[in-house]
């Protein structure tokens, strides 16, 4: 979970109940409103027997980012010819520290990415992480720092990538967390793919509190007890579908 003003969690926090055991079906949330642009609703046309792989690589301490990751995977899986692959980045905190922070145990069904070189197998990547003072959490930064050999040979150059985030407050870095992460993609020569306003009217709704921005999906975690809303999960599912369609378009170029 991210907290816009810092990274020290409250002792009152409880693990969120929205970490999904399995990826939801594409009908579990409205991925794209009816009035969204047509290009966001339909995957690009083209026939190919090749299965493209969209990696969804994330770090989640309390489950908020993981909930977005699973819904993004569901959205991506709805695009024919694209396979969603969920992976965690390695944890950098000790078990003792995580216990004191009341962090729930990780779901073993989602494996830790074995090596940065695994990203070479991806046709596109969505990275998800909580904020720490308006930038990505140290665990995700440590993973990016371990990709030096890929950078040296530009193995990831040309691959599309996007971000989704979690913050503790509405002013805690929903946009800056993604914005400051773009530097990682630039050095690798990757292509940043924002969602813009392709979610249609869902991007303009002022009646409910909703994380997310034109940069990508997002969730407000509060003190850790707030659960991701249906709107936040739907936006994550839309981002997964949108990115999968983009990957498919590049794959058929």
């Amino acid at each position: 979970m991210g907290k816009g003003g810092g990274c020290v969690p409250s002792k009152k926090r409880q693990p969120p109940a929205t970490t999904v055991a399995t990826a939801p079906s594409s009908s579990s949330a409205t991925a794209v409103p009816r009035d969204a642009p047509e290009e966001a609703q339909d995957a690009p046309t083209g026939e190919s027997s090749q299965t493209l792989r969209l990696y969804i690589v994330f770090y989640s301490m309390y489950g908020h980012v993981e909930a977005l990751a699973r819904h993004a995977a569901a959205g991506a899986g709805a695009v024919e010819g694209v396979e969603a692959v969920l992976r965690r980045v390695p944890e950098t905190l000790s078990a003792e520290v995580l216990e004191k922070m009341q962090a729930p145990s990780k779901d073993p069904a989602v494996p830790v990415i074995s090596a940065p070189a695994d990203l070479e197998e991806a046709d596109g990547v969505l990275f998800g992480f909580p904020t720490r003072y308006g930038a990505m959490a140290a665990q995700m930064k440590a993973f990016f720092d371990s990709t030096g050999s890929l950078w040296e040979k530009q193995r990831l150059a040309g691959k599309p990538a996007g971000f989704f985030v979690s913050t503790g407050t509405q002013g805690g870095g929903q946009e800056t967390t993604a914005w400051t992460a773009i530097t990682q993609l630039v050095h690798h020569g990757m292509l940043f793919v924002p969602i813009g306003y392709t979610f249609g009217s869902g991007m303009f709704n002022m009646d409910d509190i909703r994380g997310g921005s034109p940069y990508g999906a997002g969730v407000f975690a509060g003190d850790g007890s707030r659960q991701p809303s249906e709107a936040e999960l739907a936006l994550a599912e839309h981002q997964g579908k949108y990115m999968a369609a983009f990957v498919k378009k590049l794959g058929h170029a």
Side-chain angles (χ1 to χ4, degrees), residues 55 113-122 143 146-150 155-156 159:
Y55 270 54
I113 189 167
S114 58
D118 288 357
L119 293 181
E120 292 187 64
E121 303 174 358
F143 175 75
S146 71
T147 62
S149 61
L150 298 177
R155 297 295 193 188
L156 305 181
K159 293 183 185 291

Side-chain angles (χ1 to χ4, degrees), residues 1-4 6-20 58-70 88 91 93-107 128-132 137 139 165-168 219-228:
M1 183 216 66
K3 194 165 177 61
C7 57
V8 181
S10 166
K11 294 182 180 180
K12 296 181 180 180
R13 294 178 181 172
Q14 298 298 323
T18 52
T19 300
V20 187
F58 68 94
Y59 175 74
S60 186
M61 179 175 286
Y62 293 103
H64 296 80
V65 173
E66 182 169 344
L68 298 186
R70 291 181 181 274
R88 300 181 190 277
E91 179 60 79
L93 297 176
S94 67
E96 291 76 14
V97 170
L98 290 171
E99 182 179 359
K100 290 180 179 179
M101 297 177 75
Q102 300 180 9
S105 59
K106 306 292 193 295
D107 183 355
F129 39 83
T131 189
R132 296 294 184 265
Q139 289 85 348
V165 304
S166 168
T167 64
V219 59
F220 292 127
D223 65 357
S225 61
R226 180 184 183 271
Q227 310 305 310

